[in-house]
């Protein structure tokens, strides 16, 4: 049952990626929307769940928040190291973005989607009603996951083929994650720590890369409105699924 329901997440992820690639003539609006979706996912979905699951503190600070900051700094460090290495080989840092960063970020999205599948499977182990509720939340925000996976991969200069490959991997990940719950269970505290770390990575990409790029060539009010709409959409999804 969990795998069957996860197929809905598979389809919704593909719809999100298809939408992202079909509106390339409005690239600044796509990036603005992606930034808002990512901000909403981090602030309204990932962090609250991370704080609930990883409830221990380290020197008076919730462990999930420490990992959130660590994820942000890790993403910044990885990008700087890759950009420096590329510049040392004679490439123009600003003319050509670092494809490895896009692939790494997309891989993190795939990992997150696999965790979504695990959540669906674990919820169905508790009960059918709980499983359907969690599945609704996952399926609803997997549109944003597919949209963001394709956008991030292509933004960093990767070919369309690689962007589509990462999109299909992201779509298949919830199904694989749901199927794996027949054999394993992830401790809740570990899952919470992962969500905090991933939230930091995602926020860095949104704030330091996606949104600045959205306003670089087209500093329009419509771009800002798309960002607000993306965050509001995630708020709506979280509210419906609650």
């Amino acid at each position: 049952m969990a795998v069957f329901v996860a197929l809905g997440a598979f389809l919704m992820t593909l719809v999100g990626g298809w939408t992202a690639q079909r509106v390339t003539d409005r690239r600044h609006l796509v990036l603005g929307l992606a930034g808002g979706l990512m901000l909403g996912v981090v602030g309204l979905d990932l962090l609250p769940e991370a704080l609930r699951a990883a409830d221990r503190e380290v020197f008076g600070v919730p462990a999930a928040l420490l990992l959130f900051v660590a994820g942000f700094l890790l993403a910044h460090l990885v990008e700087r190291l890759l950009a420096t290495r590329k510049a040392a080989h004679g490439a123009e840092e600003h003319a050509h973005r670092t494809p490895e960063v896009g692939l790494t970020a997309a891989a993190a999205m795939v990992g997150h989607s696999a965790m979504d599948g695990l959540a669906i499977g674990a919820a169905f182990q508790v009960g059918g009603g709980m499983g359907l509720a969690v599945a609704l939340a996952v399926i609803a925000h997997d549109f944003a996951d597919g949209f963001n996976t394709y956008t991030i991969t292509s933004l960093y200069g990767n070919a369309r083929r690689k962007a589509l490959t990462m999109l299909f991997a992201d779509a298949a990940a919830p199904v694989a994650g749901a199927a794996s719950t027949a054999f394993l269970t992830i401790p809740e505290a570990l899952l919470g720590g992962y969500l905090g770390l991933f939230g930091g990575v995602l926020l860095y990409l949104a704030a330091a890369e996606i949104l600045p790029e959205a306003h670089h060539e087209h500093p329009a009010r419509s771009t800002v409105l798309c960002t607000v709409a993306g965050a509001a959409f995630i708020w709506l999804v979280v509210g419906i699924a609650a």
Side-chain angles (χ1 to χ4, degrees):
M1 183 62 180
V3 174
F4 177 76
V5 171
L7 289 174
F10 174 86
L11 295 174
M12 188 62 74
T13 302
L14 292 182
V15 170
W18 178 85
T19 302
Q21 65 172 312
R22 293 296 293 179
V23 290
T24 52
D25 58 329
R26 292 290 183 269
R27 184 170 178 269
H28 58 292
L29 299 180
V30 171
L31 294 175
L33 179 62
L37 290 172
M38 293 164 74
L39 174 62
V41 167
V42 172
L44 306 177
D45 187 17
L46 292 181
L47 273 184
E49 182 63 25
L51 289 170
R52 186 194 65 79
D55 57 356
R56 62 186 294 256
E57 293 187 352
V58 180
F59 288 105
V61 178
L65 290 183
L66 285 176
L67 287 168
F68 170 76
V69 174
F72 189 98
L73 294 175
L74 178 63
H76 178 61
L77 177 63
V78 168
E79 186 192 33
R80 289 295 90 200
L81 287 175
L82 290 174
T84 300
R85 187 182 69 178
K86 191 167 185 178
H89 287 80
E92 291 293 333
E93 176 184 348
H94 297 291
H96 302 283
R97 292 192 178 271
T98 316
E100 294 90 343
V101 174
L103 292 176
T104 301
M109 296 291 293
V110 173
H112 170 61
S113 294
M115 292 294 183
D116 282 345
L118 283 171
I120 292 175
F124 270 103
Q125 290 177 0
V126 174
M130 174 68 73
L132 289 175
V134 172
L136 173 63
V138 170
I139 290 172
H141 87 250
D142 269 356
F143 174 87
D145 284 353
F147 191 99
N148 290 334
T149 298
Y150 185 88
T151 301
I152 289 172
T153 308
S154 57
L155 174 65
Y156 281 86
N158 289 286
R160 182 174 179 271
R161 178 178 57 83
K162 288 187 177 181
L164 289 175
T165 298
M166 297 308 298
L167 173 63
F168 276 100
D170 188 51
V175 180
S180 69
T181 56
F183 310 102
L184 58 89
T185 301
I186 296 181
E188 189 174 34
L190 182 61
L191 180 60
Y194 161 78
L195 292 176
L197 184 72
F198 178 65
V201 172
L202 208 59
L203 183 62
Y204 176 83
L205 292 173
E209 298 295 329
I210 302 292
L211 291 177
E213 182 71 14
H215 293 276
H216 178 60
E217 296 181 358
H218 298 277
R221 292 181 181 177
S222 55
T223 306
V224 176
L225 291 177
C226 283
T227 302
V228 174
F233 173 75
I234 298 299
W235 185 18
L236 178 64
V237 167
V238 171
I240 292 175

